[in-house]
Amino acid sequence: MDRERGESEDNLDFSVANVEKALHQLYYDPNIDNKNLAQKWLMQAQVSPQAWQFSWALLSPNKVPEIQYFGASALHIKISRYWNDIPSDQYESLKSQLFNQIACFASGSKIVLTRLCVALASLALNMMPERWPNAVGDMVKMFQTESSDVDGKARCMALLELLTVLPEEFHTSRLPQYRKGEVRNALAQESGAVFPLLQQLLQTDSPVFISQKALKCFSSWVQLDIPLLDCESLMQASFSSLQNAELFDIAVEALVNAISQPDAQRYVNTLLKLIPQVLQLQEQLRQAVQNGDMETSHGICRIAVALGENHSRDLLEQVEHWQTFLALVNMIMFCTGIPGHYPVNETTSSLTLTFWYTLQDDIMSFEAEKQVVYLQVYRPVYFQLVDVLLHKAQFPSDEEYSSWSSDEKEQFRIYRVDISDTLMYVYEMLGAGLLSNLYDKLGRLLTNAEQPTSWQHIEACLYGFQSVAETNDVNYSDVIPGLIGLIPRINISNVQLADTVMFTIGALAEWLADHPVMINSVLPLVLHALGNPELSISSVSTLKKICRECKYDLPPFAANIVAVSQEVLMKQIHKTSQCMWLMQALGFLLSALQVEEILRNLHSLISPYIQQLEKLAEEPVVVVLQQVFQLIQKVLSKWLNDAQVVEAVCAIFEKSVKTLLDDFAPMIPQLSEMLGQMYSTIPQASALELTRQLVHIFANDPNNFVPVKALFLLVTSVTLSIFQQGPRDHPDIVDSFMQLLAQALKRKPDLFLAENCDVKALFQCGIISLKFPEAPTVKATCSFFTELLPRCREIQPIGLVVQENGKLLVQATLEAIGGQAPRNLMDHFAEILFALNKHCVTYLSIWLKEVMQQQNFPSSRLTQVQKETFSQQILSQFHALKSTVAEQLMLLLDSSSNLDLIMTSADVSLEFNRSSK
């Protein structure tokens, strides 16, 4: 049934015996290399023309299931991927053979049966609707016909399996986009042949395994966007099935899929009928929670949330049913507050958090008059939600928390972040009332002497404050002064509580800047926490925020801040990243002081480090700033071959350049010389990154162009030598080099006019880099070419190189699109095609014609006519891609054998449309 696929494949002996031998090797050979070879050979066998012969033989009843499964899989691959290779006069024969095989396996191996059903489903999808207009109805009739060879239950199960996989195969099929719409409509119309059968099976006393299969089949079909009105009876049957533990999970999945389909919102009356049915599950939900049955509570919650979250606005607008919907909201509130700590004792409450945002967003989107009415009903609900969320955010007892695994602790941390986000959204509805509510709670907790409060309650309340203050403008709140006054009264005896106190203070840094008189109330707490390694992140980040926001009010505290910081730095309490934050905090602080104070504090802070550098370099120093550079040079003279030292030096200067910008100019000649020496000795990506920064900032500065140009040419020359030796082991250098070239083209293309700039070699490097497997490297290389091509006219060397070598770029780009590059990179390759069409259109037409004449390029599945049409459409209508071109791209790409590895037509059309604009 296939056209010939090339000599190398035809010469392989894909006989039944050899396939069985390879399968035995794959399954039972202990040698991993032999397994890999067998797998590779078998993959070739599956796509070979001989597969049509050996597949049927492998399905023989005397074969073991592993062999039969391979035969069925090969049939599916041939039908789904190479449909165009099957002569139309063999469709009916193939259909008949598959029906017969499914009948044979109805009582046999289930995995083989499923794979045969998938093959027949693929056949049906490719033939619908013209060549097989009543495919689903024919399937039902075929398996309902009495057969002496197969008992009724087996026939029923085989039919249900076939009907179940049909929609699933549709969603993963390789049908062109224009065909997908046709087939979806045909399938939706044929649901009338499926749903009555499922209804009958679910309403009679069918065996459990039949009911399970019927529910799964319904769940599969509703994802084809079947009108919700047509699903009412089966949804009712699904609700009834929730009472059967063996059917519960499948029924939940079916209901959630039906309720969540995008088109369901059109059927408001059906949605209103569903609410009472969901509310009737409340007793079952309570019993499940009481018995610790997390699976049942989770499933019922999924149904309630699916209904509320997907259709809240439509249900809100049914004002005559407001009490019914409010009851559903309260049921979801119960799910949010399910007892236990997430994720150890319960896993349900997290499902509800998005619902609360959706409901609030829908309420706040109504016009003002309606909004007032809804707020009267739902503001109390959201105040109740705050109480529930704060309770759920509480840490367990110290003993219980210590027994949790690291994964459970991390899940709980993420859960608390989700709660924090939810509280942030709630503030949009409750406003200042939320802050007052939180302040009253905290005040009662801290002042109630009769009933001592656990630290968990206090921490959760503070966490609520932090969540709101961190993301909303609370500068005008009248409760913040009271909160600042309460914080020092907190008995901090726990790391989690101390962390939250720190983060809360940090969240109020902007407020403190407007109310500097309150700084002294909290700053001592922060400075004290700096000495605790367990509070490293929270204390240092909070001090940094305070120093950044309040720096002009901190001079009275500067000496104390510097002294404490210096002490913890010398004791090496914090990790490197926190030490960097701390130095940044001190930088903000010192910038607000007088020059004399800056120098005095700066000297005391960095003297110990200068002494360490001095000791390392074994050379004396005189002036701080000059000597830092001199000392680094001396350190490098001793450690130039140490990659870590070089990387650290580059990091120092990269931060300096980014911070000082033009003020760094006086040091450019020295740094350029040193950087060139470093890169010549040990080429590293960090040196290229620093060079890119210098090009970006100083390439257009006449005073610094000469040293920057010399550095650019030097690192270019060194990198070209790396490409000559083999760049494959240095993807980071290649990535950074391509970014550097793109930046140079963007900021100073004159760099490519230099006599010793080998533009042709750079172009060749780009071609090589396009074929790297690392995605960042390929993206950087695509950026290089999209910056290079527009310079064809203005930079003569670039124009000549593109004219002579552009065909190589076209070929490499089409090879990538044809399957050599992952699909997520297709946007970047599309940019290259667009740039070629825009700036080299005459040459592009010649190059396309030449490369497309190559046999099996870019895919062996394409005809010459398809390739020529593709080229013509790209060249003639690239700037205004219309549906005809999109359709041509779909036809082209869907003819390829590697569609799962190449860009889809949607990717192309979106990208080309975007680019043309």
Side-chain angles (χ1 to χ4, degrees), residues 211-492:
S211 298
Q212 288 175 332
K213 203 67 186 171
L215 285 169
K216 188 175 181 182
C217 185
F218 171 53
S219 180
S220 180
W221 274 79
V222 293
Q223 294 178 67
L224 293 171
D225 297 336
I226 308 296
L228 198 64
L229 189 65
D230 298 344
C231 302
E232 282 190 11
S233 298
L234 282 171
M235 291 180 73
Q236 178 62 56
S238 299
F239 274 109
S240 301
S241 299
L242 293 172
Q243 304 305 315
N244 185 328
E246 293 180 274
L247 302 178
F248 181 85
D249 290 339
I250 304 174
V252 167
E253 203 64 38
L255 287 167
V256 169
N257 286 340
I259 293 169
S260 302
Q261 56 176 306
D263 198 44
Q265 60 191 20
R266 293 174 49 199
Y267 304 94
V268 176
N269 289 334
T270 301
L271 294 174
L272 289 170
K273 292 178 185 177
L274 292 177
I275 297 180
Q277 296 184 75
V278 174
L279 294 175
Q280 287 177 5
L281 301 174
Q282 288 184 98
E283 183 56 36
Q284 187 179 359
L285 173 63
R286 290 192 182 92
Q287 288 293 326
V289 171
Q290 186 175 341
N291 297 331
D293 182 356
M294 288 168 46
E295 288 77 13
T296 300
S297 59
H298 195 86
I300 294 175
C301 177
R302 283 185 65 200
I303 297 170
V305 168
L307 183 56
E309 187 176 313
N310 288 287
H311 308 292
S312 62
R313 186 177 182 89
D314 297 299
L315 294 173
L316 280 168
E317 289 180 327
Q318 310 307 308
V319 289
E320 65 274 19
H321 299 281
W322 70 272
Q323 289 178 309
T324 306
F325 182 59
L326 182 60
L328 177 65
V329 172
N330 286 326
M331 181 178 177
I332 295 175
M333 180 76 77
F334 176 83
C335 295
T336 306
I338 279 181
H341 286 102
Y342 182 93
V344 178
N345 312 114
E346 64 92 6
T347 56
T348 299
S349 58
S350 64
L351 298 175
T352 67
L353 298 180
T354 307
F355 163 77
W356 295 111
Y357 163 71
T358 303
L359 177 62
Q360 172 246 308
D361 195 49
D362 287 334
I363 291 172
M364 301 304 288
S365 68
F366 284 116
E367 55 270 25
E369 291 183 5
K370 278 189 176 181
Q371 196 179 116
V372 170
V373 176
Y374 285 116
L375 287 176
Q376 287 178 344
V377 176
Y378 286 99
R379 274 177 64 89
V381 173
Y382 273 83
F383 274 116
Q384 180 188 354
L385 175 65
V386 172
D387 292 340
V388 171
L389 292 178
L390 293 181
H391 180 73
K392 294 298 295 183
Q394 288 181 22
F395 279 88
S397 67
D398 295 338
E399 182 180 359
E400 182 181 348
Y401 189 67
S402 63
S403 69
W404 286 11
S405 67
S406 57
D407 182 59
E408 288 168 339
K409 289 178 180 178
E410 176 62 12
Q411 288 187 58
F412 182 61
R413 184 193 67 79
I414 295 170
Y415 174 68
R416 278 171 48 99
V417 171
D418 292 338
I419 287 178
S420 176
D421 292 341
T422 307
L423 288 170
M424 176 190 73
Y425 294 129
V426 170
Y427 180 77
E428 295 181 22
M429 176 182 281
L430 302 183
L434 173 57
L435 291 174
S436 299
N437 180 279
L438 293 170
Y439 176 67
D440 291 343
K441 282 183 171 63
L442 185 62
R444 287 195 297 271
L445 291 172
L446 293 175
T447 57
N448 190 347
E450 297 179 2
Q451 292 183 338
T453 306
S454 69
W455 69 265
Q456 287 91 341
H457 285 82
I458 297 171
E459 189 278 334
C461 196
L462 267 182
Y463 186 70
F465 259 116
Q466 173 201 327
S467 303
V468 176
E470 210 162 30
T471 50
N472 294 285
D473 182 11
V474 297
N475 282 4
Y476 301 103
S477 172
D478 56 0
V479 304
I480 302 301
L483 171 63
I484 297 290
L486 286 174
I487 286 177
R489 301 183 58 172
I490 298 174
N491 180 21
I492 302 178

Side-chain angles (χ1 to χ4, degrees), residues 24-36:
H24 187 275
Q25 194 172 13
L26 177 66
Y27 284 110
Y28 303 111
D29 195 316
N31 187 307
I32 190 66
D33 292 332
N34 290 342
K35 284 179 178 288
N36 291 336

Side-chain angles (χ1 to χ4, degrees), residues 628-690:
V628 166
F629 192 86
Q630 293 172 6
L631 283 170
I632 288 176
Q633 285 182 308
K634 291 173 182 177
V635 170
L636 278 174
S637 69
K638 188 174 181 179
W639 300 97
L640 189 58
N641 291 311
D642 190 307
Q644 291 184 333
V645 172
V646 171
E647 187 172 349
V649 169
C650 290
I652 291 170
F653 285 111
E654 186 175 3
K655 289 183 180 296
S656 301
V657 171
K658 286 180 178 178
T659 303
L660 296 174
L661 299 176
D662 292 340
D663 293 338
F664 192 85
M667 301 182 73
I668 291 298
Q670 293 171 285
L671 179 58
S672 297
E673 183 181 351
M674 185 177 75
L675 194 53
Q677 183 185 5
M678 289 161 55
Y679 192 71
S680 299
T681 305
I682 295 186
Q684 281 190 239
S686 55
L688 289 172
E689 290 296 318
L690 181 51

Side-chain angles (χ1 to χ4, degrees), residues 195 262 570 593:
F195 282 15
M570 294 307 297
L593 302 181

Side-chain angles (χ1 to χ4, degrees), residues 517-793:
V517 71
M518 303 298 289
I519 292 175
N520 196 38
S521 299
V522 293
L523 185 58
L525 294 174
V526 179
L527 295 178
H528 178 72
L530 279 179
N532 187 342
E534 293 184 292
L535 304 177
S536 182
I537 293 176
S538 60
S539 61
V540 174
S541 65
T542 296
L543 181 63
K544 180 182 172 183
K545 288 179 180 178
I546 291 174
C547 289
R548 183 181 62 212
E549 303 297 336
C550 311
K551 60 183 179 181
Y552 296 110
D553 302 298
L554 292 180
F557 312 102
N560 195 20
I561 294 173
V562 171
V564 173
S565 299
Q566 189 168 7
E567 182 182 356
V568 299
L569 286 169
M570 294 307 297
K571 288 181 178 179
Q572 298 183 344
I573 288 174
H574 305 296
K575 294 180 180 178
T576 303
S577 55
Q578 278 75 63
C579 289
M580 291 173 64
W581 293 356
L582 188 52
M583 294 301 286
Q584 290 172 12
L586 294 172
F588 290 127
L589 172 67
L590 296 181
S591 68
L593 302 181
Q594 297 297 318
V595 175
E596 296 79 8
E597 292 181 88
I598 293 175
L599 292 175
R600 184 172 63 251
N601 284 294
L602 186 62
H603 185 269
S604 67
L605 278 170
I606 68 174
S607 287
Y609 299 100
I610 293 177
Q611 290 168 10
Q612 291 176 22
L613 287 171
E614 180 183 13
K615 183 179 179 182
L616 182 63
E618 297 179 350
E619 293 287 343
V621 293
V622 183
V623 183
V624 173
L625 291 177
Q626 292 178 339
Q627 290 169 348
V628 166
F629 192 86
Q630 293 172 6
L631 283 170
I632 288 176
Q633 285 182 308
K634 291 173 182 177
V635 170
L636 278 174
S637 69
K638 188 174 181 179
W639 300 97
L640 189 58
N641 291 311
D642 190 307
Q644 291 184 333
V645 172
V646 171
E647 187 172 349
V649 169
C650 290
I652 291 170
F653 285 111
E654 186 175 3
K655 289 183 180 296
S656 301
V657 171
K658 286 180 178 178
T659 303
L660 296 174
L661 299 176
D662 292 340
D663 293 338
F664 192 85
M667 301 182 73
I668 291 298
Q670 293 171 285
L671 179 58
S672 297
E673 183 181 351
M674 185 177 75
L675 194 53
Q677 183 185 5
M678 289 161 55
Y679 192 71
S680 299
T681 305
I682 295 186
Q684 281 190 239
S686 55
L688 289 172
E689 290 296 318
L690 181 51
T691 304
R692 183 166 64 90
Q693 289 295 331
L694 297 180
V695 169
H696 174 67
I697 299 171
F698 298 105
N700 283 310
D701 180 358
N703 298 323
N704 290 292
F705 177 68
V706 173
V708 170
K709 176 184 175 182
L711 174 62
F712 173 77
L713 293 174
L714 175 61
V715 299
T716 297
S717 174
V718 173
T719 310
L720 286 177
S721 67
I722 294 176
F723 271 89
Q724 290 171 358
Q725 297 163 13
R728 189 60 204 89
D729 294 332
H730 308 282
D732 55 338
I733 289 179
V734 175
D735 181 359
S736 298
F737 184 55
M738 290 296 137
Q739 290 186 53
L740 169 60
L741 295 179
Q743 186 69 262
L745 286 162
K746 187 182 297 184
R747 296 289 292 173
K748 194 66 173 177
D750 290 353
L751 288 167
F752 289 76
L753 287 169
E755 286 185 17
N756 48 347
C757 181
D758 192 341
V759 179
K760 182 177 180 180
L762 296 178
F763 192 93
Q764 295 291 345
C765 290
I767 298 296
I768 294 170
S769 305
L770 273 182
K771 301 177 182 181
F772 269 48
E774 290 82 6
T777 305
V778 176
K779 290 178 184 178
T781 308
C782 290
S783 297
F784 161 60
F785 281 117
T786 53
E787 292 292 342
L788 179 99
L789 293 169
R791 313 292 179 188
C792 287
R793 293 184 178 88

